[in-house]
Amino acid sequence: MRKEKLPAIFGFYGPSRSGKTYLINKLVSQLKEEGHRVAVVKASNQTMSIDTEGKDTALYRKAGADAVIFSSACETVCIVPKALTMQEIVHFLSQNASYDFIFIEGASEEWIPKIRVGEMALRENTLFTYDGDYDALYAHITKHNENNLARRK
């Protein structure tokens, strides 16, 4: 019996303006062209909300809803009125869709395999330091994903 396929998870960290977003966008584009399903999480240590005060979603959240889903003709957004751990976010993504890769920009949790971008102190579980060689990074990520798949069969 085969186990359910879990996504390969990679966190990216580095100083502001080091190219993390650009690099993740490039990886997502290439992986999508190859037929992979990719999710991206942007983690921030700043207190901010995408919800707008006075709008229906904010009113539902203020009333105490445990989750508010906004759905339109072009997108769906889930608002949970509390900070979730990265483990909870990854679990939610894994339970609600089948992704091949989950990239987390701003990852700091120990359990997340990480890619360092730019000059910064190494974080625990750093697998690779990006030095400008995109092909080497891409090979590392796809090889890591193949190894994960082989272990789960």
Side-chain angles (χ1 to χ4, degrees), residues 1-3 148-153:
M1 173 186 248
R2 284 183 62 188
K3 294 182 182 178
N148 275 349
L149 292 176
R151 282 194 305 266
R152 293 186 178 125
K153 287 185 180 178

Side-chain angles (χ1 to χ4, degrees), residues 5-8 37-39 92-94 96-102:
K5 182 181 167 226
L6 297 174
R37 291 183 43 91
V38 183
F92 175 82
L93 288 171
S94 298
N96 292 288
S98 177
Y99 297 104
D100 299 309
F101 295 89
I102 297 176

Side-chain angles (χ1 to χ4, degrees), residues 121-141:
L122 277 175
R123 291 184 179 170
E124 191 157 344
N125 207 4
T126 297
L127 303 177
F128 190 89
T129 296
Y130 179 68
D131 62 2
D133 185 347
Y134 176 80
D135 293 334
L137 173 62
Y138 189 80
H140 182 80
I141 284 175

Side-chain angles (χ1 to χ4, degrees), residues 29-94:
S29 292
Q30 184 171 357
L31 290 165
K32 290 298 292 177
E33 284 177 17
E34 295 175 2
H36 294 284
R37 291 183 43 91
V38 183
V40 179
V41 177
K42 169 65 177 178
S44 174
N45 58 4
Q46 297 183 16
T47 303
M48 54 191 289
S49 175
I50 64 165
D51 211 0
T52 303
E53 190 64 37
K55 294 292 186 181
D56 293 346
T57 54
L59 294 173
Y60 300 140
R61 186 174 41 82
K62 191 172 185 177
D66 293 312
V68 177
I69 310 295
F70 172 79
S71 183
S72 73
C74 66
E75 67 185 1
T76 300
V77 177
C78 178
I79 302 168
V80 179
K82 67 174 190 159
L84 296 177
T85 67
M86 197 53 65
Q87 200 119 26
E88 290 170 318
I89 294 168
V90 168
H91 178 75
F92 175 82
L93 288 171
S94 298

